[in-house]
Amino acid sequence: MTRRALIALASLALLSTALPVFAADVAIVSSSDIIPYNTCIDGLKEELSDLSLQTTILPQDADDAREKVKDIRGAGARLLIAIGPQAAYALAREPGAVPRLFCMMLNPEKVLGSVDAIPGVSLNIPASLQVQKIKETLPGRSRIGVFYSRQANQ
């Protein structure tokens, strides 16, 4: 469901822009070179295979990351996709009218300040849905453990 929602948002953002095709239609900006983010990038590449994609992993240094985002924005992509919190934060702080999306991020309102800053797909999954999916996947289990935070689940 999360992947489909992100693909739908990306498609909508691309369809709503009447700009000519540039060197890269979509710029994917990743917070880090880790397996979950790389899996997300692979999924985006597969689903958006008709478009040209540029993938960038942000440097850990904040100043270098800001410069990298300016370069990416200046390259003329029609859509910017942030993977992870550092990438979303960097894209949210960069001005411009290019549509932006985030994914692979817990508690986006804490990172972005406002959920309206950039639309996207949060990793926040209600505890009830988590338990339901665990029961469906492991029907023989009588006891399970779930990490729970009262603040995040109210």
Side-chain angles (χ1 to χ4, degrees):
M1 181 174 122
T2 302
R3 184 172 162 187
R4 285 187 180 157
L6 181 63
I7 300 304
L9 281 171
S11 299
L12 252 168
L14 282 172
L15 290 174
S16 68
T17 60
L19 300 173
V21 176
F22 293 94
D25 293 317
V26 180
I28 300 170
V29 182
S30 181
S31 295
S32 182
D33 185 16
I34 59 173
I35 292 172
Y37 294 169
N38 292 337
T39 302
C40 180
I41 291 169
D42 291 342
L44 287 167
K45 286 179 177 178
E46 183 180 322
E47 293 296 324
L48 301 174
S49 61
D50 293 345
L51 302 170
S52 60
L53 303 172
Q54 171 195 355
T55 303
T56 303
I57 298 170
L58 287 182
Q60 295 301 310
D61 180 71
D63 291 332
D64 292 343
R66 266 193 297 277
E67 286 302 314
K68 191 68 153 174
V69 168
K70 286 181 183 177
D71 293 344
I72 292 165
R73 199 173 76 72
R78 294 171 48 195
L79 174 65
L80 304 173
I81 299 177
I83 300 176
Q86 292 85 357
Y89 181 82
L91 289 182
R93 299 303 176 259
E94 187 64 27
V98 177
R100 296 168 274 188
L101 302 171
F102 74 82
C103 61
M104 300 291 293
M105 193 163 84
L106 281 171
N107 306 317
E109 65 284 347
K110 289 183 179 180
V111 175
L112 301 175
S114 167
V115 180
D116 297 334
I118 300 178
V121 180
S122 169
L123 287 177
N124 296 21
I125 303 169
S128 60
L129 180 59
Q130 291 179 43
V131 171
Q132 174 193 345
K133 294 298 179 184
I134 291 170
K135 285 181 179 180
E136 289 173 7
T137 306
L138 305 167
R141 292 283 181 195
S142 58
R143 296 181 78 191
I144 59 168
V146 177
F147 289 105
Y148 180 83
S149 164
R150 183 181 322 150
Q151 180 184 13
N153 291 291
Q154 286 184 345

